Protein backbone atom coordinates (compact mmCIF):
# COMPACT_ATOMS: atom_id res chain seq x y z
CA UNK A 1 0.00 0.00 0.00
CA UNK A 2 1.40 3.41 -0.99
CA UNK A 3 2.60 5.79 1.72
CA UNK A 4 0.32 8.37 0.10
CA UNK A 5 -2.89 6.46 0.80
CA UNK A 6 -4.93 5.54 3.86
CA UNK A 7 -4.06 2.11 5.27
CA UNK A 8 -5.77 -0.12 7.80
CA UNK A 9 -3.10 0.95 10.28
CA UNK A 10 -4.50 4.49 10.15
CA UNK A 11 -7.65 3.16 11.82
CA UNK A 12 -6.00 0.87 14.35
CA UNK A 13 -5.60 3.44 17.10
CA UNK A 14 -1.80 3.51 17.17
CA UNK A 15 0.92 5.78 15.86
CA UNK A 16 -0.48 6.08 12.33
CA UNK A 17 -3.92 7.02 13.68
CA UNK A 18 -2.39 9.75 15.82
CA UNK A 19 -0.40 11.04 12.85
CA UNK A 20 -3.50 11.11 10.64
CA UNK A 21 -5.49 13.04 13.23
CA UNK A 22 -2.63 15.46 13.87
CA UNK A 23 -1.65 16.12 10.26
CA UNK A 24 -5.08 16.19 8.64
CA UNK A 25 -7.93 16.72 11.09
CA UNK A 26 -6.39 18.72 13.92
CA UNK A 27 -4.51 20.84 11.39
CA UNK A 28 -7.81 21.96 9.86
CA UNK A 29 -10.28 21.76 12.75
CA UNK A 30 -8.29 23.13 15.69
CA UNK A 31 -10.12 25.61 17.96
CA UNK A 32 -10.31 26.16 21.75
CA UNK A 33 -13.04 23.50 22.14
CA UNK A 34 -11.44 20.90 19.84
CA UNK A 35 -10.42 17.88 21.91
CA UNK A 36 -8.36 14.72 21.75
CA UNK A 37 -10.32 13.36 24.72
CA UNK A 38 -13.33 11.08 24.49
CA UNK A 39 -15.79 13.98 24.41
CA UNK A 40 -15.68 17.74 23.99
CA UNK A 41 -16.52 19.92 26.99
CA UNK A 42 -18.50 22.94 25.88
CA UNK A 43 -19.28 26.26 27.57
CA UNK A 44 -22.75 26.93 28.95
CA UNK A 45 -25.33 27.75 26.29
CA UNK A 46 -28.35 29.90 27.07
CA UNK A 47 -31.55 29.19 25.17
CA UNK A 48 -33.40 26.28 23.60
CA UNK A 49 -31.14 23.93 21.64
CA UNK A 50 -31.59 22.15 18.32
CA UNK A 51 -29.57 19.04 17.54
CA UNK A 52 -29.27 17.05 14.32
CA UNK A 53 -27.17 14.30 12.76
CA UNK A 54 -26.67 13.29 9.14
CA UNK A 55 -24.62 10.86 7.04
CA UNK A 56 -22.95 11.69 3.72
CA UNK A 57 -22.04 9.08 1.11
CA UNK A 58 -22.11 11.08 -2.12
CA UNK A 59 -20.63 9.46 -5.22
CA UNK A 60 -18.40 10.80 -6.66
CA UNK A 61 -16.90 12.40 -3.55
CA UNK A 62 -15.84 15.47 -5.54
CA UNK A 63 -18.09 17.40 -7.91
CA UNK A 64 -18.31 20.77 -9.65
CA UNK A 65 -18.96 23.23 -6.84
CA UNK A 66 -17.86 21.17 -3.87
CA UNK A 67 -16.95 17.84 -2.33
CA UNK A 68 -18.21 15.53 0.40
CA UNK A 69 -16.45 17.62 3.06
CA UNK A 70 -18.18 20.86 2.14
CA UNK A 71 -21.44 18.95 1.75
CA UNK A 72 -21.18 17.43 5.24
CA UNK A 73 -20.85 20.84 6.89
CA UNK A 74 -23.57 22.43 4.75
CA UNK A 75 -26.03 19.60 5.35
CA UNK A 76 -25.85 19.79 9.13
CA UNK A 77 -25.62 23.59 9.27
CA UNK A 78 -28.69 23.85 7.05
CA UNK A 79 -30.73 21.35 9.07
CA UNK A 80 -30.10 23.40 12.22
CA UNK A 81 -30.77 26.65 10.39
CA UNK A 82 -34.17 25.42 9.18
CA UNK A 83 -35.23 25.21 12.82
CA UNK A 84 -34.19 28.83 13.38
CA UNK A 85 -31.08 27.66 15.24
CA UNK A 86 -27.71 29.37 14.94
CA UNK A 87 -25.15 26.56 14.43
CA UNK A 88 -22.56 26.47 17.21
CA UNK A 89 -20.78 23.12 17.42
CA UNK A 90 -20.32 20.02 15.30
CA UNK A 91 -18.74 16.59 15.55
CA UNK A 92 -17.72 14.48 12.57
CA UNK A 93 -17.01 10.79 12.06
CA UNK A 94 -15.10 9.46 9.05
CA UNK A 95 -15.22 5.97 7.54
CA UNK A 96 -12.38 5.87 5.03
CA UNK A 97 -11.71 3.09 2.55
CA UNK A 98 -8.28 1.51 2.61
CA UNK A 99 -6.31 2.96 -0.30
CA UNK A 100 -8.07 6.33 -0.32
CA UNK A 101 -5.50 9.02 -1.28
CA UNK A 102 -4.25 11.13 1.63
CA UNK A 103 -4.13 14.27 -0.50
CA UNK A 104 -7.84 13.77 -1.32
CA UNK A 105 -8.59 13.43 2.40
CA UNK A 106 -6.68 16.67 2.90
CA UNK A 107 -8.89 18.38 0.29
CA UNK A 108 -11.99 17.17 2.10
CA UNK A 109 -10.77 18.41 5.48
CA UNK A 110 -9.78 21.78 3.98
CA UNK A 111 -13.26 22.20 2.48
CA UNK A 112 -14.81 21.41 5.86
CA UNK A 113 -12.58 23.95 7.57
CA UNK A 114 -13.42 26.70 5.05
CA UNK A 115 -17.17 26.08 5.17
CA UNK A 116 -17.30 25.86 8.97
CA UNK A 117 -15.39 29.13 9.29
CA UNK A 118 -17.80 30.87 6.93
CA UNK A 119 -20.69 30.05 9.26
CA UNK A 120 -18.80 30.34 12.54
CA UNK A 121 -19.53 26.78 13.62
CA UNK A 122 -16.78 24.88 15.49
CA UNK A 123 -15.84 21.26 14.90
CA UNK A 124 -15.07 20.03 18.41
CA UNK A 125 -14.75 16.22 18.29
CA UNK A 126 -14.81 13.29 15.92
CA UNK A 127 -13.89 9.74 15.08
CA UNK A 128 -11.93 7.95 12.35
CA UNK A 129 -12.41 4.41 11.12
CA UNK A 130 -10.74 2.68 8.17
CA UNK A 131 -12.70 0.05 6.24
CA UNK A 132 -11.06 -2.66 4.15
CA UNK A 133 -10.73 -2.25 0.41
CA UNK A 134 -14.16 -2.55 -1.20
CA UNK A 135 -16.09 -2.24 2.07
CA UNK A 136 -17.08 1.37 1.39
CA UNK A 137 -16.85 3.77 -1.53
CA UNK A 138 -13.94 6.13 -0.83
CA UNK A 139 -15.06 8.03 2.24
CA UNK A 140 -18.25 8.38 4.25
CA UNK A 141 -18.81 11.20 6.76
CA UNK A 142 -21.33 11.52 9.57
CA UNK A 143 -21.80 14.90 11.23
CA UNK A 144 -23.77 15.95 14.29
CA UNK A 145 -24.56 19.58 15.08
CA UNK A 146 -25.90 21.66 17.94
CA UNK A 147 -27.36 25.15 17.64
CA UNK A 148 -29.34 27.61 19.69
CA UNK A 149 -32.82 28.57 18.50
CA UNK A 150 -33.26 32.29 18.07
CA UNK A 151 -35.70 34.10 20.32
CA UNK A 152 -39.30 34.07 19.07
CA UNK A 153 -38.68 31.66 16.17
CA UNK A 154 -40.64 28.42 15.91
CA UNK A 155 -40.66 26.54 12.60
CA UNK A 156 -42.08 23.15 11.67
CA UNK A 157 -43.51 21.30 8.71
CA UNK A 158 -46.77 21.13 10.67
CA UNK A 159 -47.24 24.92 10.68
CA UNK A 160 -48.14 25.74 7.08
CA UNK A 161 -51.44 27.64 6.90
CA UNK A 162 -53.90 28.40 4.13
CA UNK A 163 -52.96 31.75 2.64
CA UNK A 164 -49.23 31.32 3.22
CA UNK A 165 -46.86 32.19 0.41
CA UNK A 166 -44.44 29.50 -0.79
CA UNK A 167 -40.94 30.82 -1.44
CA UNK A 168 -37.77 29.23 -2.79
CA UNK A 169 -34.45 30.92 -2.14
CA UNK A 170 -33.00 30.26 -5.59
CA UNK A 171 -33.03 28.14 -8.75
CA UNK A 172 -33.86 24.50 -8.15
CA UNK A 173 -32.32 21.14 -9.03
CA UNK A 174 -28.69 22.14 -9.53
CA UNK A 175 -27.05 19.72 -7.08
CA UNK A 176 -28.83 16.64 -8.38
CA UNK A 177 -28.07 17.66 -11.96
CA UNK A 178 -24.40 18.25 -11.09
CA UNK A 179 -24.01 14.79 -9.53
CA UNK A 180 -25.66 13.19 -12.56
CA UNK A 181 -23.17 14.95 -14.87
CA UNK A 182 -20.23 14.07 -12.60
CA UNK A 183 -21.00 10.35 -12.95
CA UNK A 184 -20.58 10.66 -16.72
CA UNK A 185 -23.16 7.94 -17.37
CA UNK A 186 -24.91 9.78 -20.19
CA UNK A 187 -22.03 11.49 -21.98
CA UNK A 188 -23.49 14.93 -21.34
CA UNK A 189 -21.06 17.85 -21.44
CA UNK A 190 -22.28 20.67 -19.18
CA UNK A 191 -20.67 23.11 -16.77
CA UNK A 192 -23.60 23.02 -14.34
CA UNK A 193 -22.34 23.41 -10.77
CA UNK A 194 -23.81 22.42 -7.43
CA UNK A 195 -25.69 24.97 -5.32
CA UNK A 196 -24.09 23.43 -2.19
CA UNK A 197 -23.86 26.23 0.40
CA UNK A 198 -24.18 26.87 4.15
CA UNK A 199 -27.43 28.74 4.73
CA UNK A 200 -27.46 30.11 8.27
CA UNK A 201 -26.95 33.64 6.91
CA UNK A 202 -29.88 33.10 4.54
CA UNK A 203 -32.16 32.00 7.38
CA UNK A 204 -30.94 34.86 9.55
CA UNK A 205 -32.01 37.32 6.86
CA UNK A 206 -35.47 35.73 6.67
CA UNK A 207 -36.13 35.84 10.41
CA UNK A 208 -34.86 39.43 10.55
CA UNK A 209 -37.94 40.52 8.59
CA UNK A 210 -40.32 37.67 9.49
CA UNK A 211 -39.62 36.01 12.84
CA UNK A 212 -43.09 34.48 12.55
CA UNK A 213 -42.10 32.44 9.48
CA UNK A 214 -43.99 29.14 9.61
CA UNK A 215 -41.86 26.58 7.75
CA UNK A 216 -38.24 26.48 6.57
CA UNK A 217 -36.95 23.32 4.89
CA UNK A 218 -33.88 22.53 2.82
CA UNK A 219 -34.74 20.75 -0.41
CA UNK A 220 -32.18 17.95 -0.42
CA UNK A 221 -33.07 14.38 -1.42
CA UNK A 222 -36.12 14.45 -3.67
CA UNK A 223 -35.84 18.19 -4.25
CA UNK A 224 -38.48 20.86 -3.86
CA UNK A 225 -41.31 18.63 -5.05
CA UNK A 226 -40.74 16.06 -2.32
CA UNK A 227 -40.47 18.74 0.36
CA UNK A 228 -43.77 20.27 -0.76
CA UNK A 229 -45.55 16.92 -0.55
CA UNK A 230 -44.11 16.29 2.91
CA UNK A 231 -45.31 19.67 4.20
CA UNK A 232 -48.73 19.30 2.56
CA UNK A 233 -49.17 16.01 4.44
CA UNK A 234 -47.76 17.27 7.75
CA UNK A 235 -49.94 20.39 7.78
CA UNK A 236 -52.98 18.85 6.01
CA UNK A 237 -53.11 21.59 3.39
CA UNK A 238 -53.02 21.92 -0.37
CA UNK A 239 -50.29 23.71 -2.29
CA UNK A 240 -50.73 25.52 -5.59
CA UNK A 241 -47.59 26.29 -7.62
CA UNK A 242 -47.12 28.73 -10.47
CA UNK A 243 -44.90 26.88 -12.96
CA UNK A 244 -43.77 30.10 -14.61
CA UNK A 245 -42.47 31.47 -11.29
CA UNK A 246 -40.19 28.51 -10.45
CA UNK A 247 -36.56 29.50 -11.10
CA UNK A 248 -34.56 26.88 -13.00
CA UNK A 249 -31.04 27.43 -14.35
CA UNK A 250 -30.91 27.17 -18.16
CA UNK A 251 -28.22 24.47 -17.93
CA UNK A 252 -30.44 22.36 -15.67
CA UNK A 253 -33.37 22.88 -18.05
CA UNK A 254 -31.22 21.62 -20.90
CA UNK A 255 -30.10 18.46 -19.10
CA UNK A 256 -33.60 17.73 -17.81
CA UNK A 257 -35.02 18.25 -21.28
CA UNK A 258 -32.63 15.68 -22.75
CA UNK A 259 -33.25 13.08 -20.03
CA UNK A 260 -36.93 13.68 -19.31
CA UNK A 261 -36.35 14.72 -15.69
CA UNK A 262 -38.40 17.14 -13.58
CA UNK A 263 -36.17 19.82 -11.93
CA UNK A 264 -38.55 19.97 -8.96
CA UNK A 265 -37.46 16.43 -8.02
CA UNK A 266 -33.71 17.00 -8.33
CA UNK A 267 -31.81 17.61 -5.11
CA UNK A 268 -30.70 21.02 -3.94
CA UNK A 269 -27.97 21.49 -1.31
CA UNK A 270 -28.16 25.26 -1.04
CA UNK A 271 -31.84 26.07 -1.41
CA UNK A 272 -34.63 26.53 1.11
CA UNK A 273 -38.39 26.20 0.81
CA UNK A 274 -40.13 28.76 3.01
CA UNK A 275 -43.79 29.07 4.03
CA UNK A 276 -44.61 32.47 5.46
CA UNK A 277 -47.61 34.78 5.93
CA UNK A 278 -48.50 36.30 2.58
CA UNK A 279 -48.17 39.85 3.89
CA UNK A 280 -44.48 39.18 4.67
CA UNK A 281 -43.61 37.41 1.43
CA UNK A 282 -42.46 40.38 -0.65
CA UNK A 283 -40.29 41.70 2.19
CA UNK A 284 -38.72 38.24 2.65
CA UNK A 285 -37.89 37.94 -1.05
CA UNK A 286 -36.47 41.46 -1.18
CA UNK A 287 -34.20 40.66 1.77
CA UNK A 288 -33.20 37.29 0.31
CA UNK A 289 -32.16 38.85 -2.98
CA UNK A 290 -29.49 40.83 -1.14
CA UNK A 291 -27.86 37.59 0.03
CA UNK A 292 -24.91 35.63 -1.33
CA UNK A 293 -26.86 32.42 -1.87
CA UNK A 294 -30.39 33.67 -2.52
CA UNK A 295 -30.24 36.26 -5.30
CA UNK A 296 -32.81 34.33 -7.38
CA UNK A 297 -35.35 33.97 -4.57
CA UNK A 298 -38.95 33.86 -5.76
CA UNK A 299 -42.53 33.37 -4.61
CA UNK A 300 -43.61 30.21 -6.43
CA UNK A 301 -47.01 29.42 -4.96
CA UNK A 302 -49.50 29.55 -2.13
CA UNK A 303 -51.08 27.31 0.48
CA UNK A 304 -54.78 26.48 0.10
CA UNK A 305 -57.57 24.68 1.93
CA UNK A 306 -58.34 22.79 -1.29
CA UNK A 307 -56.74 19.55 -2.49
CA UNK A 308 -55.33 18.72 0.93
CA UNK A 309 -52.18 16.63 0.79
CA UNK A 310 -51.66 17.43 -2.89
CA UNK A 311 -49.48 19.80 -4.90
CA UNK A 312 -51.23 21.42 -7.86
CA UNK A 313 -49.17 22.87 -10.71
CA UNK A 314 -50.61 25.81 -12.61
CA UNK A 315 -48.93 25.41 -15.99
CA UNK A 316 -47.54 27.90 -18.48
CA UNK A 317 -50.67 27.58 -20.65
CA UNK A 318 -53.04 28.28 -17.77
CA UNK A 319 -54.17 24.73 -17.01
CA UNK A 320 -53.90 22.91 -13.71
CA UNK A 321 -52.43 19.49 -13.10
CA UNK A 322 -51.49 17.45 -10.05
CA UNK A 323 -47.73 17.32 -9.61
CA UNK A 324 -47.05 13.57 -9.44
CA UNK A 325 -46.01 12.40 -6.01
CA UNK A 326 -42.36 11.28 -6.19
CA UNK A 327 -41.65 7.57 -6.19
CA UNK A 328 -38.47 5.57 -6.33
CA UNK A 329 -35.01 7.12 -6.50
CA UNK A 330 -33.95 9.22 -9.48
CA UNK A 331 -30.42 9.82 -8.35
CA UNK A 332 -29.06 7.57 -5.58
CA UNK A 333 -26.11 8.80 -3.53
CA UNK A 334 -26.59 12.55 -4.05
CA UNK A 335 -25.67 13.43 -0.46
Amino acid sequence: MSANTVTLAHGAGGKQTSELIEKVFKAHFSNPEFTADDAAVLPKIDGKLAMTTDGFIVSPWEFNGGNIGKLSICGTVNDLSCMGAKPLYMTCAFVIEEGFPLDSLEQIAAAMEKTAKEVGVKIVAGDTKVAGKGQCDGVFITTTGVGVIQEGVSTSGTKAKAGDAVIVTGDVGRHGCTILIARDEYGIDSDVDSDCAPLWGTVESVISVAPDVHVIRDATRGGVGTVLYEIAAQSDVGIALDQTAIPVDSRVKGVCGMLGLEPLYLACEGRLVIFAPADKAEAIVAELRKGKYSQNAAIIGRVTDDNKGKVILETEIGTQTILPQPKGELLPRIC
Side-chain angles (χ1 to χ4, degrees):
M1 189 66 64
S2 168
N4 296 319
T5 62
V6 175
T7 69
L8 290 174
H10 284 113
K15 178 183 176 183
Q16 289 93 333
T17 301
S18 297
E19 289 176 349
L20 182 67
I21 292 169
E22 190 76 22
K23 293 179 180 179
V24 177
F25 300 126
K26 186 177 179 181
H28 288 285
F29 302 161
S30 185
N31 62 73
E33 278 72 50
F34 185 84
T35 185
D37 292 327
D38 288 341
V41 178
L42 305 177
K44 182 179 179 180
I45 303 170
D46 293 324
K48 186 180 289 187
L49 299 182
M51 184 176 184
T52 187
T53 193
D54 209 347
F56 300 88
I57 57 172
V58 64
S59 179
W61 68 266
E62 186 176 33
F63 46 85
N64 190 16
N67 63 36
I68 192 172
K70 178 181 180 181
L71 187 65
S72 70
I73 301 297
C74 291
T76 294
V77 161
N78 296 348
D79 284 349
L80 291 172
S81 300
C82 287
M83 303 310 296
K86 179 180 180 179
L88 298 177
Y89 302 106
M90 290 180 62
T91 65
C92 57
F94 287 78
V95 178
I96 309 164
E97 184 181 18
E98 178 188 14
F100 192 75
L102 282 168
D103 60 350
S104 296
L105 190 62
E106 180 86 27
Q107 284 179 247
I108 290 167
M112 295 174 75
E113 175 189 21
K114 181 180 179 181
T115 309
K117 281 185 176 178
E118 180 179 345
V119 181
V121 67
K122 295 178 179 178
I123 300 171
V124 295
D127 184 51
T128 305
K129 295 290 188 295
V130 178
K133 189 72 175 176
Q135 291 182 334
C136 73
D137 184 7
V139 59
F140 298 164
I141 303 174
T142 299
T143 51
T144 296
V146 174
V148 61
I149 296 176
Q150 302 301 282
E151 190 70 31
V153 179
S154 178
T155 63
S156 169
T158 64
K159 293 188 175 183
K161 294 178 173 58
D164 278 356
V166 181
I167 300 166
V168 291
T169 59
D171 58 282
V172 305
R174 282 226 321 262
H175 181 73
C177 188
T178 299
I179 298 302
L180 185 150
I181 297 299
R183 289 178 186 155
D184 200 25
E185 294 175 356
Y186 299 99
I188 297 172
D189 184 16
S190 173
D191 64 349
V192 63
D193 57 333
S194 173
D195 56 12
C196 182
L199 299 178
W200 167 242
T202 303
V203 170
E204 203 171 22
S205 70
V206 171
I207 61 180
S208 71
V209 296
D212 56 342
V213 60
H214 294 154
V215 184
I216 307 176
R217 291 283 293 275
D218 58 337
T220 53
R221 282 178 297 182
V224 171
T226 298
V227 165
L228 293 176
Y229 263 101
E230 289 174 354
I231 295 168
Q234 285 180 273
S235 293
D236 192 29
V237 295
I239 297 171
L241 297 184
D242 177 358
Q243 187 176 43
T244 63
I246 300 168
V248 183
D249 185 280
S250 60
R251 298 167 297 177
V252 174
K253 282 184 179 179
V255 172
C256 288
M258 282 189 284
L259 299 179
L261 300 175
E262 169 54 67
L264 283 170
Y265 292 137
L266 294 183
C268 308
E269 289 290 346
R271 300 290 182 255
L272 301 173
V273 178
I274 297 167
F275 287 60
D279 62 354
K280 301 286 184 67
E282 294 290 350
I284 290 172
V285 169
E287 189 65 25
L288 283 169
R289 288 178 177 171
K290 300 174 186 176
K292 181 178 180 181
Y293 301 120
S294 52
Q295 295 175 1
N296 296 320
I299 300 168
I300 64 168
R302 64 190 186 280
V303 180
T304 72
D305 274 327
D306 304 322
N307 301 301
K308 291 184 177 181
K310 294 184 172 61
V311 180
I312 305 299
L313 193 64
E314 298 173 352
T315 69
E316 296 176 354
I317 60 173
T319 60
Q320 290 188 338
T321 184
I322 296 176
L323 187 71
Q325 192 161 3
K327 295 179 180 179
E329 184 72 51
L330 286 174
L331 287 172
R333 303 283 303 276
I334 50 81
C335 63

